[in-house]
Amino acid sequence: MRKHIWISHAFILIVMAEPAFAASSGEKEVLAAMDGLKAAMLKKDRAALEKILHPDLTYGHSSAKVENKAEAIAHMVGGLGWEAIELADTTVRLQGNTAIVNGKADFHERKKDQPPAVAKLLILTVWVKEPHGWQLIARQAVRRPDDAQVIAAQAALAGATAAQPATAAPGKAGTAAKSP
């Protein structure tokens, strides 16, 4: 009987605490807009992209390329596209009619005559609430430390540093080192 009462109390506490962990209605709307963007990108749906991307969009890629709305849509619809887009660790902060969203993303990019490559990114997006819903107005991505390109660049840099000859100590230029 005691065990049954303890389980009942635990259940009640969990049910009562659950709303504290739930996203607000505004956060849910932003997350739904993000899902809409993801679906439009995967389907290469130009009409959906036109609706969800703000006219003043600034879309920054991890390569440092920055696109406006027309360029971003052309890239998303005209490129090889993605097999999957996985979002994780997403946080939404609402500031009035503006939402700031941070999170991780894995873009499974299609490659011509090659298997898909996964770009592992950290992404910051800014959304504004317009009369017809949330629109993406700004995006910037950087590659995560566990991304294959970052790992390769770090290895190349380490190899280049190791291959450089040692330089003379300051104030001793022109003097030959003595061997013991």
Side-chain angles (χ1 to χ4, degrees):
M1 180 71 171
R2 271 187 147 162
K3 189 175 186 181
H4 178 59
I5 292 171
W6 184 84
I7 292 172
S8 295
H9 281 93
F11 177 74
I12 290 169
L13 287 173
I14 291 170
V15 170
M16 290 176 65
E18 187 273 326
F21 299 116
S24 72
S25 63
E27 291 170 338
K28 288 178 183 176
E29 290 173 10
V30 173
L31 293 170
M34 289 182 60
D35 285 341
L37 174 61
K38 178 179 153 180
M41 291 173 70
L42 290 169
K43 294 177 185 175
K44 298 183 176 192
D45 185 341
R46 181 179 296 275
L49 291 167
E50 287 285 347
K51 289 179 186 176
I52 204 158
L53 300 179
H54 193 276
D56 293 329
L57 175 71
T58 299
Y59 194 92
H61 292 269
S62 61
S63 65
K65 181 178 183 178
V66 178
E67 298 171 328
N68 62 29
K69 180 178 179 176
E71 293 165 334
I73 291 174
H75 176 247
M76 292 176 197
V77 174
L80 294 174
W82 304 271
E83 288 191 4
I85 300 171
E86 299 168 6
L87 304 176
D89 299 337
T90 304
T91 60
V92 178
R93 292 174 287 151
L94 293 173
Q95 301 291 326
N97 288 336
T98 304
I100 302 163
V101 183
N102 298 87
K104 294 179 182 178
D106 288 354
F107 282 77
H108 298 257
E109 302 170 307
R110 289 189 186 104
K111 299 287 186 181
K112 188 175 182 178
D113 301 324
Q114 296 177 18
V118 180
K120 296 180 178 217
L121 306 174
L122 295 173
I123 299 180
L124 166 69
T125 56
V126 179
W127 297 77
V128 291
K129 189 168 187 175
E130 297 292 329
H132 55 278
W134 288 94
Q135 289 186 301
L136 179 66
I137 193 166
R139 182 239 198 212
Q140 184 59 59
V142 296
R143 291 191 179 269
R144 296 192 325 243
D146 60 337
D147 181 80
Q149 286 189 11
V150 172
I151 293 168
Q154 289 172 338
L157 182 59
T161 303
Q164 290 180 353
T167 57
K172 303 226 179 193
T175 60
K178 295 183 181 178
S179 302

